[in-house]
Amino acid sequence: LDVISDDHSRYVGCINMSTSKLAKLQRKLRAQGEFVATNQFDFSLTNRKSLAMIEACKKMDITPLCTNVLDGGLASGKYTSVNPTGGEVSKGEGDTGPYSVRTLEKLDALFKVQDGLREKVNSRIGDKLAKFDSGKAPKINREITTTQIAINYVKAKGAVPLVPVNNVKMANEVLGCLGWELTEEEVLELDKACKTCGV
């Protein structure tokens, strides 16, 4: 690649590159003393089609960067079959929100697990912080949301979640993901729920 040999770039990043093309490019660059640093692709709790790509990237020492980690809002757990508008004011009679009730019903088991983990993680963090002397506890979010569960799920799978931030509320959601992680058991619980829902 001329850009690297001409010192115009230090790293190579790819977008939506297939595993075979990625491996071929990585071999070619390694032979020149360079490497592919990242591959960017969609992955979320409700769209796990690229799960194998995360594993392939890790085996090739490539950092997987995941976009659309909230799957357009579907993975946030905000929209459910009993709350299809996600708590937003209805736009009028017949407004069922951005997703069909059928789609949301299909994911009910996942959303239930996601909400249960939200409570579990909140409790775990509260217990952890209670052990610190007054005023010495680290500043960690104690109001975990289902959106944060979805974002940290992507992180737990070994990828870097790229979350678009276009308002203060979303900035706070992303910041609230810092300082805690999902446990292995919690990730397995989400995986099992995804499989149950056919995701």
Side-chain angles (χ1 to χ4, degrees):
L1 290 164
D2 295 337
V3 222
I4 292 177
S5 58
D6 292 345
D7 276 341
H8 294 300
S9 177
R10 293 180 61 205
Y11 304 103
V12 173
C14 301
I15 297 176
N16 292 322
M17 190 170 267
S18 71
T19 306
S20 58
K21 287 182 180 177
L22 199 57
K24 185 177 178 182
L25 180 60
Q26 187 73 310
R27 282 191 301 275
K28 183 178 179 179
L29 287 173
R30 290 273 187 210
Q32 298 172 14
E34 304 294 343
F35 61 95
V36 175
T38 64
N39 188 28
Q40 179 180 312
F41 50 90
D42 285 356
F43 178 80
S44 72
L45 187 58
T46 53
N47 177 8
R48 300 174 353 125
K49 294 174 190 154
S50 298
L51 186 58
M53 179 56 79
I54 293 174
E55 294 306 315
C57 284
K58 290 193 293 188
K59 285 180 185 171
M60 291 185 266
D61 291 324
I62 296 170
T63 302
L65 303 177
C66 291
T67 53
N68 200 17
V69 297
L70 295 176
D71 198 11
L74 186 60
S76 70
K78 175 180 175 181
Y79 305 100
T80 64
S81 62
V82 294
N83 186 14
T85 62
E88 302 291 324
V89 176
S90 174
K91 293 181 178 119
E93 191 173 326
D95 178 26
T96 60
Y99 304 100
S100 72
V101 173
R102 184 177 177 176
T103 297
L104 296 172
E105 285 175 342
K106 177 185 168 196
L107 297 170
D108 272 346
L110 173 60
F111 296 146
K112 185 176 180 183
V113 168
Q114 197 174 358
D115 192 51
L117 287 178
R118 177 192 59 78
E119 291 178 19
K120 187 176 178 182
V121 172
N122 274 326
S123 177
R124 178 164 41 94
I125 290 172
D127 292 347
K128 180 181 176 182
L129 294 178
K131 294 177 183 174
F132 285 89
D133 291 336
S134 179
K136 296 191 179 183
K139 302 284 185 206
I140 297 174
N141 176 25
R142 295 184 69 175
E143 308 265 334
I144 305 303
T145 66
T146 52
T147 296
Q148 292 162 352
I149 296 289
I151 294 169
N152 271 2
Y153 174 78
V154 173
K155 185 177 159 199
K157 286 297 183 180
V160 176
L162 300 179
V163 184
V165 175
N166 48 22
N167 57 46
V168 173
K169 183 179 181 200
M170 201 58 215
N172 286 327
E173 286 283 8
V174 172
L175 289 172
C177 293
L178 302 174
W180 63 275
E181 296 176 349
L182 292 169
T183 65
E184 210 172 297
E185 294 79 26
E186 290 163 349
V187 173
L188 289 173
E189 209 174 325
L190 286 166
D191 285 339
K192 185 177 176 184
C194 286
K195 287 177 186 168
T196 299
C197 296
V199 178

